[in-house]
Amino acid sequence: METSKAALLVIDMEQGFLHPNSPLYIAQAADTVPNCSNVIAKARQRGIPVFFVNRIYRKNGSDVEACRYEHWLQGGRCLAPNSTGDCSIEVPEAFTPQAGDYTIIKPRFSAFFQTELDLILRRLQVDTVLLTGTTTPNCIRATCYDGLSLDYNVVVIEDCCSSRTETVQRANMEDMAYIGADVITVEQFLQNTWTTKNYVKEVQQKVVADETAPE
């Protein structure tokens, strides 16, 4: 893989999802912090741009999903701007952006939905997105499908992602692999010889060479 064409997305690894006292707590997410930290460090070493894609909700709930609003309200209005503590937008030290990293605030599940992510990736000539973070059936899966729809190669690092149960995790990984994402492990990514096939470029070349009328 040409590392200059890939980007790492770290999605929603905030205290509101990581701390046991938060009503949004995902136990599996907290367990993936060391794996994600290693992947972030390796990506920076390889020159792969790192995007921290996070959620911030307005205090009045005007931008909270309708399907999540009541849970958010009863849980203490988590992830408010400038919030600190157990239910906040604060992140562990390993997820603090460094020089050269990007920060994206997303209003919904997908990292692509109404954000500048696609614009920046294309400006950087990125054709492959590496997905990590939480939760797998919501933000990871939505980003995966939008990425595929936008003609990116999508790689999901499965042990850097998390769900509420192992059954949900496994089912969603199988679905994403079936639809066209490349599902790999942290161990595979950390190997210096790891590469991934550029499926999108291969298809583009075949389409350009195909003289069949589009009709």
Side-chain angles (χ1 to χ4, degrees):
M1 181 181 65
E2 298 179 36
T3 55
S4 61
K5 297 293 182 68
L8 173 66
L9 275 56
V10 185
I11 300 176
D12 285 349
M13 294 298 282
E14 302 163 277
Q15 287 291 71
F17 298 106
L18 298 174
H19 200 285
N21 292 338
S22 170
L24 303 179
Y25 174 61
I26 305 294
Q28 284 191 355
D31 293 340
T32 65
V33 168
N35 280 345
C36 290
S37 301
N38 290 335
V39 165
I40 291 167
K42 192 66 173 181
R44 287 173 176 150
Q45 179 185 330
R46 288 178 173 160
I48 296 175
V50 178
F51 287 74
F52 293 99
V53 186
N54 293 327
R55 185 69 64 91
I56 298 177
Y57 287 133
R58 295 183 183 276
K59 292 182 179 180
N60 67 354
S62 56
D63 56 356
V64 177
E65 299 93 331
C67 62
R68 178 176 277 177
Y69 179 81
E70 289 301 327
H71 181 63
W72 169 84
L73 189 64
Q74 295 170 11
R77 302 175 187 256
C78 290
L79 304 174
N82 303 311
S83 55
T84 60
D86 302 347
C87 195
S88 73
I89 63 172
E90 290 184 314
V91 298
E93 183 177 356
F95 300 92
T96 302
Q98 296 183 5
D101 296 340
Y102 292 82
T103 299
I104 301 284
I105 303 302
K106 61 184 177 66
R108 288 294 183 264
F109 298 112
S110 171
F112 288 101
F113 182 78
Q114 295 189 2
T115 73
E116 67 271 45
L117 178 62
D118 183 51
L119 173 67
I120 296 174
L121 293 178
R122 295 190 189 280
R123 180 64 59 85
L124 297 177
Q125 298 184 327
V126 166
D127 54 31
T128 301
V129 290
L130 311 171
L131 304 186
T132 66
T134 197
T135 63
T136 300
N138 296 335
C139 300
I140 301 299
R141 182 168 177 147
T143 302
C144 169
Y145 278 68
D146 278 355
L148 292 171
S149 298
L150 290 166
D151 253 4
Y152 289 95
N153 303 296
V154 176
V155 179
V156 183
I157 306 180
E158 61 179 334
D159 39 357
C160 278
C161 299
S162 51
S163 303
R164 292 190 178 276
T165 70
E166 187 56 36
T167 300
V168 171
Q169 176 80 351
R170 185 51 40 211
N172 279 274
M173 287 298 169
E174 290 176 358
D175 277 350
M176 288 188 287
Y178 182 78
I179 200 64
D182 188 8
V183 178
I184 67 168
T185 65
V186 170
E187 183 178 358
Q188 288 174 296
F189 177 75
L190 295 180
Q191 293 175 1
N192 291 325
T193 57
W194 179 78
T195 59
T196 187
K197 188 176 182 180
N198 192 336
Y199 299 101
V200 170
K201 186 174 182 179
E202 183 178 288
V203 170
Q204 289 172 342
Q205 292 172 338
K206 289 181 179 180
V207 170
V208 170
D210 194 333
E211 298 181 355
T212 306
E215 308 215 5

